[in-house]
Amino acid sequence: MKRAIALFLLAVLTLSLFTGCAKKNTATETEKGSDESAQNAADGETTWGIEPLTEKTTLDIAYFSGVMHSLPIYIADEKGWFDEVNLKLEYSSFTSGPAMMEANESWDIATTGSPGVLVGMLGYDVYCIGNCEYDAVLNLYVREDSPIYQAGQGHNDVNSEVYGTADAWKGTEWLLPVGTTTNIVLDSTLAMFGLTEADITLVNMDNSTGFAAFKAGEGDGVCLSLSVAMAAEEAGFKKVSGLDLTGDLIECGMCATKDALENKRDAVKKFYEIYYRTSEWIRDNMEEAEAYYLETCEIEGIACDEKTAKYICERRNSPTIADVVEQGRTAVEYDAYAKRPVTKAEADLLVTMDFFISTGKYSDADRETILDNNMFDTSIAEEVYADMVAGGRWSE
């Protein structure tokens, strides 16, 4: 039976989001954005020209703390862009995609990495309704005296910049959120040395907890993402591998529950367009977006500074809504499934699925379940895009 999880960050995040608790350089801009939105509403207009819902509607949002794919949600809410279209957001905060999916009865929409998307598709009535980001900063760290670091680089045939030898990696203990994107990077690194998870020990900890435990002397290595990864470098720990070295393609997706798609579809569509519009706004307003990202980390107690926020935001890789539609229309070669063509949107997600199949976490039957049931549903993207074109808000 599915069960909802009450998370302690909910109260903190919700309070921060709805009391206008702006910090640092975003304070003036946030107030300005809210004022502009209020004036737009008074004039019967909206920032993006989106027609408001006829009555105020609440969407429950599963908010992934401290990651790029959540940033458009926070910014749009602070700017008042959801209010303009009669949307009210209620938040639950998470630091793990699988945990988010287990709590799916408590939310309507979520953004998460591909491992979380797969959990939702296979275990719950959750559909992926669009690619919203590609992961960029996922790193593996050890202490300077680690045999892996001391062995130096150049001891595998895949990437000469990765540290260690097979003997140095074998038998080590790693702290990480098991079954998530950092797990993929770790397994890909092991494969470079002819090793698998069976050759090491995995200890399941979330990003921040794992870093704290590693600093306290636990484990031989730690797998970290985003601002926490940058904090590890500032603390003097040594990066021995990472997503930039393994070359893994790790898609992040926007998800919706079956209930939300059936009973709150109009609200989901308004949210969808504002999300992707805000993602474009981030690209064109990077300095302000960096300040917002730093603000979210401060609210959620995630280690970050201005330098780190800049580093992470500059590496974001986010599609436009037109890109999402094109991915859903484009067929690609995919030999593992012959019943129908597989779209680019599905294929990018299946990179993670196929990786986990190779490790025994999932099976070929699980892949068939996802594709047979069209769990990557691009209908929302198509409907929103059609509305945007018809309304003159986007040119094909």
Side-chain angles (χ1 to χ4, degrees), residues 21 44 60 74 93 134 147 153 156 198 203 232 261 278 307 309 319 334 391:
C21 184
D60 294 305
Y74 181 79
S93 187
Y134 289 97
Q153 300 168 301
N156 72 80
V203 179
L261 291 174
T278 307
K307 178 181 176 182
Y334 187 74

Side-chain angles (χ1 to χ4, degrees), residues 95-96 98 175-184 203-207 210 223-225:
T95 58
S96 165
L175 315 180
L176 74 158
V178 174
T180 65
T181 51
T182 49
N183 201 157
I184 295 174
V203 179
N204 190 24
M205 294 185 181
D206 67 42
N207 210 34
C223 305
L224 301 171
S225 61

Side-chain angles (χ1 to χ4, degrees), residues 91-148:
Y91 293 83
S92 296
S93 187
F94 298 84
T95 58
S96 165
M100 176 187 287
M101 293 302 152
E102 187 177 358
N104 71 92
E105 288 184 343
S106 69
W107 52 263
D108 300 308
I109 294 179
T111 62
T112 185
S114 51
V117 174
L118 295 174
V119 170
M121 287 177 162
L122 291 168
Y124 309 96
D125 288 330
V126 170
Y127 290 78
C128 185
I129 58 175
N131 166 21
C132 58
E133 188 84 30
Y134 289 97
D135 275 332
V137 183
L138 300 171
N139 296 335
L140 278 55
Y141 294 94
V142 299
R143 302 177 184 88
E144 188 169 5
D145 62 356
S146 165
I148 293 174

Side-chain angles (χ1 to χ4, degrees), residues 1-309:
M1 178 180 292
K2 305 175 189 175
R3 63 186 183 89
I5 300 176
L7 296 154
F8 81 95
L9 282 174
L10 171 60
V12 177
L13 182 59
T14 304
L15 179 62
S16 300
L17 289 169
F18 292 103
T19 57
C21 184
K23 303 179 180 69
K24 296 190 182 294
N25 298 332
T26 59
T28 302
E29 294 298 332
T30 299
E31 292 166 5
K32 180 180 177 183
S34 298
D35 290 344
E36 290 176 351
S37 293
Q39 185 60 51
N40 284 337
D43 295 340
E45 300 176 353
T46 63
T47 299
W48 308 111
I50 304 169
E51 184 178 352
L53 294 164
T54 55
E55 59 184 27
K56 189 69 109 179
T57 303
T58 297
L59 281 178
D60 294 305
I61 306 300
Y63 187 91
F64 205 127
S65 303
V67 297
M68 276 292 98
H69 52 74
S70 290
L71 186 58
I73 303 172
Y74 181 79
I75 290 176
D77 214 5
E78 288 293 289
K79 290 286 192 182
W81 295 334
F82 290 122
D83 286 335
E84 288 179 352
V85 298
N86 256 340
L87 273 182
K88 178 183 178 182
L89 306 189
E90 296 286 353
Y91 293 83
S92 296
S93 187
F94 298 84
T95 58
S96 165
M100 176 187 287
M101 293 302 152
E102 187 177 358
N104 71 92
E105 288 184 343
S106 69
W107 52 263
D108 300 308
I109 294 179
T111 62
T112 185
S114 51
V117 174
L118 295 174
V119 170
M121 287 177 162
L122 291 168
Y124 309 96
D125 288 330
V126 170
Y127 290 78
C128 185
I129 58 175
N131 166 21
C132 58
E133 188 84 30
Y134 289 97
D135 275 332
V137 183
L138 300 171
N139 296 335
L140 278 55
Y141 294 94
V142 299
R143 302 177 184 88
E144 188 169 5
D145 62 356
S146 165
I148 293 174
Y149 183 72
Q150 292 298 318
Q153 300 168 301
H155 300 293
N156 72 80
D157 296 328
V158 181
N159 191 306
S160 62
E161 296 182 53
V162 174
Y163 282 80
T165 63
D167 287 341
W169 279 89
K170 192 175 296 184
T172 52
E173 180 178 270
W174 286 81
L175 315 180
L176 74 158
V178 174
T180 65
T181 51
T182 49
N183 201 157
I184 295 174
V185 176
L186 175 60
D187 282 23
S188 290
T189 302
L190 292 172
M192 292 181 185
F193 298 97
L195 304 176
T196 68
E197 288 182 8
D199 296 302
I200 63 171
T201 299
L202 305 184
V203 179
N204 190 24
M205 294 185 181
D206 67 42
N207 210 34
S208 296
T209 303
F211 181 41
F214 189 66
K215 288 193 292 184
E218 294 186 36
D220 298 303
V222 63
C223 305
L224 301 171
S225 61
L226 296 169
S227 61
V228 184
M230 297 300 97
E233 295 198 8
E234 290 289 333
F237 296 117
K238 302 302 180 181
K239 176 184 170 181
V240 292
S241 186
L243 181 60
D244 58 331
L245 302 180
T246 63
D248 293 301
L249 177 72
I250 302 178
E251 179 186 272
C252 301
M254 184 185 297
C255 297
T257 63
K258 183 178 180 180
D259 180 71
L261 291 174
E262 292 177 351
N263 299 311
K264 294 185 178 181
R265 195 171 186 86
D266 286 343
V268 171
K269 288 165 63 175
K270 303 298 181 186
F271 176 94
Y272 199 87
E273 182 172 350
I274 290 174
Y275 178 94
Y276 284 98
R277 285 296 198 183
T278 307
S279 185
E280 294 174 50
W281 179 92
I282 292 172
R283 180 195 61 206
D284 298 330
N285 299 271
M286 186 59 70
E287 185 175 348
E288 190 179 348
E290 291 164 9
Y292 273 117
Y293 178 71
L294 180 59
E295 182 178 317
T296 66
C297 290
E298 290 175 344
I299 289 170
E300 298 152 27
I302 295 172
C304 192
D305 57 24
E306 291 181 4
K307 178 181 176 182
T308 298

